[in-house]
Amino acid sequence: IEALDVAASAATNAGCPELIGTSSLFTPAMLSSLWSWIPRRYTDDTFALVFQTQRDGYNMETLLRLADNLSPLVLVLQTTRGAVVGAYLSTGFESSSTGSFSGSGETFIFSLHPDMRKYTWRPGRPAHFVRVTDAQIAVGGGGGVNAGYGLWIDSELLHGGSVRSRTFANDPLVAPDTHFECTSLELWAFSTELPAHVLADVLERITSNSPSL
């Protein structure tokens, strides 16, 4: 998959936002589709790369620290089989020692490659949007003991999976598989929602291409 450069913008790639950072996952077509699914109030924003495994390491603790108090967020990852999938997290991450879910009905999961699909919540389904524990990040639950997640990734950001969830009534995002190995993961935020010091840190890390300490 050809990477999308920091210079990509709505002016040069129709339907794409301006980016702060360089994605190793998005193509212009992927980003254009994703942007069409984002709530309209954010579509004039610049998209900022908050976390990237190649730069910041394969560590969920680092990801959560860099994402602290930021929302909304877009998590996107690529598997060893080339699938590109992710989630729009309407209220960001909220860690819970009890394993409770957070988020709102604007949360959705998606696939960008090989197919472009979006799965949303509807009233009447379980409102099990985002669960963050010491072991994993999970999006889309089912309410039952044996229920699976629409998308999950472990604390090492290396292994995850996707099955049908009652929250989104989704097909497995990496079908025909239900588990995957992750080669790269990125977390993106919206410029108008970034405090000045966070934006400055993002810009410094992009410029220096240095990992977060």
PDB file of all heavy atoms in Angstrom, residues 20-48:
ATOM      1  N   ILE A  20      -1.254  16.463   9.385  1.00  0.00           N
ATOM      2  CA  ILE A  20      -0.062  16.784  10.150  1.00  0.00           C
ATOM      3  C   ILE A  20       0.579  15.444  10.475  1.00  0.00           C
ATOM      4  O   ILE A  20       0.159  14.729  11.372  1.00  0.00           O
ATOM      5  CB  ILE A  20      -0.400  17.553  11.439  1.00  0.00           C
ATOM      6  CG1 ILE A  20      -1.103  18.867  11.123  1.00  0.00           C
ATOM      7  CG2 ILE A  20       0.873  17.817  12.254  1.00  0.00           C
ATOM      8  CD1 ILE A  20      -1.589  19.620  12.348  1.00  0.00           C
ATOM      9  N   GLY A  21       1.579  15.070   9.700  1.00  0.00           N
ATOM     10  CA  GLY A  21       2.197  13.769   9.836  1.00  0.00           C
ATOM     11  C   GLY A  21       2.074  12.985   8.547  1.00  0.00           C
ATOM     12  O   GLY A  21       1.313  13.357   7.648  1.00  0.00           O
ATOM     13  N   THR A  22       2.814  11.893   8.447  1.00  0.00           N
ATOM     14  CA  THR A  22       2.808  11.059   7.257  1.00  0.00           C
ATOM     15  C   THR A  22       2.304   9.677   7.615  1.00  0.00           C
ATOM     16  O   THR A  22       2.868   9.009   8.470  1.00  0.00           O
ATOM     17  CB  THR A  22       4.224  10.944   6.659  1.00  0.00           C
ATOM     18  OG1 THR A  22       4.691  12.255   6.326  1.00  0.00           O
ATOM     19  CG2 THR A  22       4.217  10.096   5.397  1.00  0.00           C
ATOM     20  N   SER A  23       1.244   9.259   6.952  1.00  0.00           N
ATOM     21  CA  SER A  23       0.670   7.947   7.202  1.00  0.00           C
ATOM     22  C   SER A  23       1.365   6.883   6.362  1.00  0.00           C
ATOM     23  O   SER A  23       1.633   7.092   5.178  1.00  0.00           O
ATOM     24  CB  SER A  23      -0.821   7.953   6.879  1.00  0.00           C
ATOM     25  OG  SER A  23      -1.369   6.653   7.016  1.00  0.00           O
ATOM     26  N   SER A  24       1.620   5.735   6.964  1.00  0.00           N
ATOM     27  CA  SER A  24       2.124   4.588   6.226  1.00  0.00           C
ATOM     28  C   SER A  24       0.985   3.656   5.822  1.00  0.00           C
ATOM     29  O   SER A  24       1.226   2.613   5.218  1.00  0.00           O
ATOM     30  CB  SER A  24       3.142   3.816   7.072  1.00  0.00           C
ATOM     31  OG  SER A  24       2.513   3.255   8.215  1.00  0.00           O
ATOM     32  N   LEU A  25      -0.253   4.041   6.156  1.00  0.00           N
ATOM     33  CA  LEU A  25      -1.401   3.158   5.946  1.00  0.00           C
ATOM     34  C   LEU A  25      -2.394   3.676   4.919  1.00  0.00           C
ATOM     35  O   LEU A  25      -2.919   2.914   4.104  1.00  0.00           O
ATOM     36  CB  LEU A  25      -2.134   2.921   7.270  1.00  0.00           C
ATOM     37  CG  LEU A  25      -1.294   2.336   8.414  1.00  0.00           C
ATOM     38  CD1 LEU A  25      -2.160   2.145   9.649  1.00  0.00           C
ATOM     39  CD2 LEU A  25      -0.662   1.031   7.997  1.00  0.00           C
ATOM     40  N   PHE A  26      -2.688   4.957   4.958  1.00  0.00           N
ATOM     41  CA  PHE A  26      -3.722   5.520   4.089  1.00  0.00           C
ATOM     42  C   PHE A  26      -3.235   5.711   2.658  1.00  0.00           C
ATOM     43  O   PHE A  26      -2.121   6.177   2.427  1.00  0.00           O
ATOM     44  CB  PHE A  26      -4.174   6.898   4.588  1.00  0.00           C
ATOM     45  CG  PHE A  26      -4.929   6.886   5.884  1.00  0.00           C
ATOM     46  CD1 PHE A  26      -4.534   7.706   6.927  1.00  0.00           C
ATOM     47  CD2 PHE A  26      -6.040   6.085   6.054  1.00  0.00           C
ATOM     48  CE1 PHE A  26      -5.225   7.725   8.123  1.00  0.00           C
ATOM     49  CE2 PHE A  26      -6.748   6.096   7.247  1.00  0.00           C
ATOM     50  CZ  PHE A  26      -6.341   6.913   8.293  1.00  0.00           C
ATOM     51  N   THR A  27      -4.085   5.392   1.708  1.00  0.00           N
ATOM     52  CA  THR A  27      -3.964   5.919   0.350  1.00  0.00           C
ATOM     53  C   THR A  27      -4.964   7.069   0.252  1.00  0.00           C
ATOM     54  O   THR A  27      -5.868   7.191   1.092  1.00  0.00           O
ATOM     55  CB  THR A  27      -4.313   4.855  -0.696  1.00  0.00           C
ATOM     56  OG1 THR A  27      -5.703   4.500  -0.548  1.00  0.00           O
ATOM     57  CG2 THR A  27      -3.431   3.623  -0.545  1.00  0.00           C
ATOM     58  N   PRO A  28      -4.851   7.937  -0.758  1.00  0.00           N
ATOM     59  CA  PRO A  28      -5.840   9.004  -0.901  1.00  0.00           C
ATOM     60  C   PRO A  28      -7.276   8.481  -0.973  1.00  0.00           C
ATOM     61  O   PRO A  28      -8.184   9.073  -0.380  1.00  0.00           O
ATOM     62  CB  PRO A  28      -5.414   9.693  -2.202  1.00  0.00           C
ATOM     63  CG  PRO A  28      -3.940   9.483  -2.260  1.00  0.00           C
ATOM     64  CD  PRO A  28      -3.723   8.096  -1.717  1.00  0.00           C
ATOM     65  N   ALA A  29      -7.488   7.365  -1.665  1.00  0.00           N
ATOM     66  CA  ALA A  29      -8.846   6.812  -1.777  1.00  0.00           C
ATOM     67  C   ALA A  29      -9.367   6.352  -0.412  1.00  0.00           C
ATOM     68  O   ALA A  29     -10.541   6.579  -0.071  1.00  0.00           O
ATOM     69  CB  ALA A  29      -8.860   5.646  -2.770  1.00  0.00           C
ATOM     70  N   MET A  30      -8.503   5.717   0.367  1.00  0.00           N
ATOM     71  CA  MET A  30      -8.905   5.279   1.702  1.00  0.00           C
ATOM     72  C   MET A  30      -9.269   6.475   2.581  1.00  0.00           C
ATOM     73  O   MET A  30     -10.294   6.485   3.265  1.00  0.00           O
ATOM     74  CB  MET A  30      -7.769   4.503   2.371  1.00  0.00           C
ATOM     75  CG  MET A  30      -7.495   3.146   1.814  1.00  0.00           C
ATOM     76  SD  MET A  30      -6.106   2.425   2.758  1.00  0.00           S
ATOM     77  CE  MET A  30      -5.720   1.020   1.732  1.00  0.00           C
ATOM     78  N   LEU A  31      -8.401   7.479   2.581  1.00  0.00           N
ATOM     79  CA  LEU A  31      -8.618   8.639   3.434  1.00  0.00           C
ATOM     80  C   LEU A  31      -9.872   9.393   3.008  1.00  0.00           C
ATOM     81  O   LEU A  31     -10.629   9.880   3.850  1.00  0.00           O
ATOM     82  CB  LEU A  31      -7.398   9.563   3.389  1.00  0.00           C
ATOM     83  CG  LEU A  31      -7.418  10.742   4.377  1.00  0.00           C
ATOM     84  CD1 LEU A  31      -7.602  10.256   5.809  1.00  0.00           C
ATOM     85  CD2 LEU A  31      -6.138  11.548   4.250  1.00  0.00           C
ATOM     86  N   SER A  32     -10.115   9.481   1.715  1.00  0.00           N
ATOM     87  CA  SER A  32     -11.313  10.151   1.230  1.00  0.00           C
ATOM     88  C   SER A  32     -12.573   9.436   1.713  1.00  0.00           C
ATOM     89  O   SER A  32     -13.540  10.075   2.156  1.00  0.00           O
ATOM     90  CB  SER A  32     -11.288  10.219  -0.298  1.00  0.00           C
ATOM     91  OG  SER A  32     -12.444  10.870  -0.786  1.00  0.00           O
ATOM     92  N   SER A  33     -12.572   8.117   1.658  1.00  0.00           N
ATOM     93  CA  SER A  33     -13.729   7.353   2.136  1.00  0.00           C
ATOM     94  C   SER A  33     -13.919   7.541   3.631  1.00  0.00           C
ATOM     95  O   SER A  33     -15.034   7.793   4.109  1.00  0.00           O
ATOM     96  CB  SER A  33     -13.561   5.865   1.818  1.00  0.00           C
ATOM     97  OG  SER A  33     -13.698   5.624   0.448  1.00  0.00           O
ATOM     98  N   LEU A  34     -12.829   7.413   4.385  1.00  0.00           N
ATOM     99  CA  LEU A  34     -12.924   7.606   5.830  1.00  0.00           C
ATOM    100  C   LEU A  34     -13.463   8.984   6.169  1.00  0.00           C
ATOM    101  O   LEU A  34     -14.336   9.135   7.035  1.00  0.00           O
ATOM    102  CB  LEU A  34     -11.551   7.406   6.474  1.00  0.00           C
ATOM    103  CG  LEU A  34     -11.453   7.708   7.964  1.00  0.00           C
ATOM    104  CD1 LEU A  34     -12.356   6.788   8.766  1.00  0.00           C
ATOM    105  CD2 LEU A  34     -10.007   7.597   8.446  1.00  0.00           C
ATOM    106  N   TRP A  35     -12.961   9.992   5.477  1.00  0.00           N
ATOM    107  CA  TRP A  35     -13.370  11.370   5.769  1.00  0.00           C
ATOM    108  C   TRP A  35     -14.854  11.581   5.487  1.00  0.00           C
ATOM    109  O   TRP A  35     -15.501  12.390   6.154  1.00  0.00           O
ATOM    110  CB  TRP A  35     -12.514  12.348   4.981  1.00  0.00           C
ATOM    111  CG  TRP A  35     -12.296  13.647   5.705  1.00  0.00           C
ATOM    112  CD1 TRP A  35     -12.725  14.885   5.322  1.00  0.00           C
ATOM    113  CD2 TRP A  35     -11.592  13.831   6.935  1.00  0.00           C
ATOM    114  NE1 TRP A  35     -12.341  15.827   6.242  1.00  0.00           N
ATOM    115  CE2 TRP A  35     -11.638  15.201   7.248  1.00  0.00           C
ATOM    116  CE3 TRP A  35     -10.934  12.960   7.810  1.00  0.00           C
ATOM    117  CZ2 TRP A  35     -11.052  15.734   8.390  1.00  0.00           C
ATOM    118  CZ3 TRP A  35     -10.352  13.482   8.950  1.00  0.00           C
ATOM    119  CH2 TRP A  35     -10.416  14.850   9.227  1.00  0.00           C
ATOM    120  N   SER A  36     -15.399  10.861   4.531  1.00  0.00           N
ATOM    121  CA  SER A  36     -16.827  10.988   4.230  1.00  0.00           C
ATOM    122  C   SER A  36     -17.699  10.389   5.326  1.00  0.00           C
ATOM    123  O   SER A  36     -18.897  10.680   5.407  1.00  0.00           O
ATOM    124  CB  SER A  36     -17.144  10.317   2.888  1.00  0.00           C
ATOM    125  OG  SER A  36     -17.089   8.902   2.987  1.00  0.00           O
ATOM    126  N   TRP A  37     -17.103   9.553   6.184  1.00  0.00           N
ATOM    127  CA  TRP A  37     -17.851   8.930   7.289  1.00  0.00           C
ATOM    128  C   TRP A  37     -17.764   9.723   8.584  1.00  0.00           C
ATOM    129  O   TRP A  37     -18.540   9.495   9.511  1.00  0.00           O
ATOM    130  CB  TRP A  37     -17.307   7.520   7.549  1.00  0.00           C
ATOM    131  CG  TRP A  37     -17.403   6.583   6.385  1.00  0.00           C
ATOM    132  CD1 TRP A  37     -18.304   6.632   5.356  1.00  0.00           C
ATOM    133  CD2 TRP A  37     -16.562   5.453   6.117  1.00  0.00           C
ATOM    134  NE1 TRP A  37     -18.078   5.603   4.473  1.00  0.00           N
ATOM    135  CE2 TRP A  37     -17.018   4.856   4.903  1.00  0.00           C
ATOM    136  CE3 TRP A  37     -15.477   4.872   6.780  1.00  0.00           C
ATOM    137  CZ2 TRP A  37     -16.408   3.720   4.366  1.00  0.00           C
ATOM    138  CZ3 TRP A  37     -14.877   3.746   6.241  1.00  0.00           C
ATOM    139  CH2 TRP A  37     -15.346   3.176   5.048  1.00  0.00           C
ATOM    140  N   ILE A  38     -16.801  10.637   8.669  1.00  0.00           N
ATOM    141  CA  ILE A  38     -16.566  11.409   9.888  1.00  0.00           C
ATOM    142  C   ILE A  38     -17.719  12.403  10.094  1.00  0.00           C
ATOM    143  O   ILE A  38     -18.236  12.977   9.134  1.00  0.00           O
ATOM    144  CB  ILE A  38     -15.227  12.178   9.772  1.00  0.00           C
ATOM    145  CG1 ILE A  38     -14.056  11.200   9.646  1.00  0.00           C
ATOM    146  CG2 ILE A  38     -15.013  13.117  10.948  1.00  0.00           C
ATOM    147  CD1 ILE A  38     -13.855  10.290  10.820  1.00  0.00           C
ATOM    148  N   PRO A  39     -18.157  12.631  11.349  1.00  0.00           N
ATOM    149  CA  PRO A  39     -19.180  13.652  11.586  1.00  0.00           C
ATOM    150  C   PRO A  39     -18.822  14.984  10.932  1.00  0.00           C
ATOM    151  O   PRO A  39     -17.675  15.428  10.983  1.00  0.00           O
ATOM    152  CB  PRO A  39     -19.212  13.762  13.119  1.00  0.00           C
ATOM    153  CG  PRO A  39     -18.829  12.388  13.581  1.00  0.00           C
ATOM    154  CD  PRO A  39     -17.791  11.927  12.592  1.00  0.00           C
ATOM    155  N   ARG A  40     -19.795  15.606  10.321  1.00  0.00           N
ATOM    156  CA  ARG A  40     -19.563  16.783   9.498  1.00  0.00           C
ATOM    157  C   ARG A  40     -18.880  17.918  10.244  1.00  0.00           C
ATOM    158  O   ARG A  40     -18.125  18.692   9.649  1.00  0.00           O
ATOM    159  CB  ARG A  40     -20.898  17.278   8.933  1.00  0.00           C
ATOM    160  CG  ARG A  40     -20.785  18.426   7.970  1.00  0.00           C
ATOM    161  CD  ARG A  40     -22.098  18.669   7.255  1.00  0.00           C
ATOM    162  NE  ARG A  40     -22.482  17.490   6.508  1.00  0.00           N
ATOM    163  CZ  ARG A  40     -22.849  17.526   5.227  1.00  0.00           C
ATOM    164  NH1 ARG A  40     -22.856  18.658   4.592  1.00  0.00           N
ATOM    165  NH2 ARG A  40     -23.185  16.424   4.608  1.00  0.00           N
ATOM    166  N   ARG A  41     -19.098  18.021  11.542  1.00  0.00           N
ATOM    167  CA  ARG A  41     -18.503  19.138  12.297  1.00  0.00           C
ATOM    168  C   ARG A  41     -16.982  19.071  12.348  1.00  0.00           C
ATOM    169  O   ARG A  41     -16.328  20.048  12.725  1.00  0.00           O
ATOM    170  CB  ARG A  41     -19.074  19.190  13.711  1.00  0.00           C
ATOM    171  CG  ARG A  41     -18.777  17.994  14.583  1.00  0.00           C
ATOM    172  CD  ARG A  41     -19.508  18.114  15.913  1.00  0.00           C
ATOM    173  NE  ARG A  41     -19.283  16.985  16.809  1.00  0.00           N
ATOM    174  CZ  ARG A  41     -19.951  15.831  16.755  1.00  0.00           C
ATOM    175  NH1 ARG A  41     -20.882  15.651  15.825  1.00  0.00           N
ATOM    176  NH2 ARG A  41     -19.707  14.868  17.618  1.00  0.00           N
ATOM    177  N   TYR A  42     -16.397  17.924  11.967  1.00  0.00           N
ATOM    178  CA  TYR A  42     -14.944  17.794  11.987  1.00  0.00           C
ATOM    179  C   TYR A  42     -14.308  17.791  10.593  1.00  0.00           C
ATOM    180  O   TYR A  42     -13.085  17.747  10.484  1.00  0.00           O
ATOM    181  CB  TYR A  42     -14.538  16.499  12.700  1.00  0.00           C
ATOM    182  CG  TYR A  42     -14.913  16.464  14.157  1.00  0.00           C
ATOM    183  CD1 TYR A  42     -15.803  15.512  14.643  1.00  0.00           C
ATOM    184  CD2 TYR A  42     -14.388  17.388  15.056  1.00  0.00           C
ATOM    185  CE1 TYR A  42     -16.161  15.481  15.977  1.00  0.00           C
ATOM    186  CE2 TYR A  42     -14.747  17.366  16.389  1.00  0.00           C
ATOM    187  CZ  TYR A  42     -15.634  16.407  16.847  1.00  0.00           C
ATOM    188  OH  TYR A  42     -15.982  16.385  18.167  1.00  0.00           O
ATOM    189  N   THR A  43     -15.106  17.824   9.562  1.00  0.00           N
ATOM    190  CA  THR A  43     -14.550  17.606   8.224  1.00  0.00           C
ATOM    191  C   THR A  43     -13.742  18.793   7.685  1.00  0.00           C
ATOM    192  O   THR A  43     -13.074  18.655   6.662  1.00  0.00           O
ATOM    193  CB  THR A  43     -15.664  17.255   7.216  1.00  0.00           C
ATOM    194  OG1 THR A  43     -16.682  18.262   7.247  1.00  0.00           O
ATOM    195  CG2 THR A  43     -16.271  15.902   7.540  1.00  0.00           C
ATOM    196  N   ASP A  44     -13.769  19.939   8.365  1.00  0.00           N
ATOM    197  CA  ASP A  44     -12.909  21.054   7.974  1.00  0.00           C
ATOM    198  C   ASP A  44     -11.611  21.076   8.769  1.00  0.00           C
ATOM    199  O   ASP A  44     -10.766  21.946   8.565  1.00  0.00           O
ATOM    200  CB  ASP A  44     -13.639  22.390   8.152  1.00  0.00           C
ATOM    201  CG  ASP A  44     -14.754  22.583   7.128  1.00  0.00           C
ATOM    202  OD1 ASP A  44     -14.645  22.006   6.036  1.00  0.00           O
ATOM    203  OD2 ASP A  44     -15.727  23.287   7.442  1.00  0.00           O
ATOM    204  N   ASP A  45     -11.442  20.115   9.667  1.00  0.00           N
ATOM    205  CA  ASP A  45     -10.255  20.054  10.510  1.00  0.00           C
ATOM    206  C   ASP A  45      -9.047  19.507   9.746  1.00  0.00           C
ATOM    207  O   ASP A  45      -9.184  18.869   8.704  1.00  0.00           O
ATOM    208  CB  ASP A  45     -10.506  19.131  11.709  1.00  0.00           C
ATOM    209  CG  ASP A  45     -11.107  19.866  12.888  1.00  0.00           C
ATOM    210  OD1 ASP A  45     -11.705  20.934  12.660  1.00  0.00           O
ATOM    211  OD2 ASP A  45     -10.990  19.381  14.019  1.00  0.00           O
ATOM    212  N   THR A  46      -7.890  19.759  10.326  1.00  0.00           N
ATOM    213  CA  THR A  46      -6.667  19.082   9.908  1.00  0.00           C
ATOM    214  C   THR A  46      -6.540  17.803  10.729  1.00  0.00           C
ATOM    215  O   THR A  46      -6.884  17.767  11.909  1.00  0.00           O
ATOM    216  CB  THR A  46      -5.448  19.989  10.138  1.00  0.00           C
ATOM    217  OG1 THR A  46      -5.606  21.181   9.356  1.00  0.00           O
ATOM    218  CG2 THR A  46      -4.155  19.297   9.742  1.00  0.00           C
ATOM    219  N   PHE A  47      -6.066  16.736  10.107  1.00  0.00           N
ATOM    220  CA  PHE A  47      -5.926  15.428  10.739  1.00  0.00           C
ATOM    221  C   PHE A  47      -4.500  15.299  11.249  1.00  0.00           C
ATOM    222  O   PHE A  47      -3.538  15.430  10.479  1.00  0.00           O
ATOM    223  CB  PHE A  47      -6.212  14.369   9.686  1.00  0.00           C
ATOM    224  CG  PHE A  47      -6.911  13.132  10.177  1.00  0.00           C
ATOM    225  CD1 PHE A  47      -7.667  13.119  11.333  1.00  0.00           C
ATOM    226  CD2 PHE A  47      -6.807  11.950   9.441  1.00  0.00           C
ATOM    227  CE1 PHE A  47      -8.309  11.967  11.752  1.00  0.00           C
ATOM    228  CE2 PHE A  47      -7.448  10.801   9.850  1.00  0.00           C
ATOM    229  CZ  PHE A  47      -8.203  10.807  11.010  1.00  0.00           C
ATOM    230  N   ALA A  48      -4.322  15.037  12.548  1.00  0.00           N
ATOM    231  CA  ALA A  48      -2.994  15.038  13.165  1.00  0.00           C
ATOM    232  C   ALA A  48      -2.615  13.646  13.663  1.00  0.00           C
ATOM    233  O   ALA A  48      -3.392  12.991  14.369  1.00  0.00           O
ATOM    234  CB  ALA A  48      -2.950  16.025  14.324  1.00  0.00           C
TER     235      ALA A  48
END
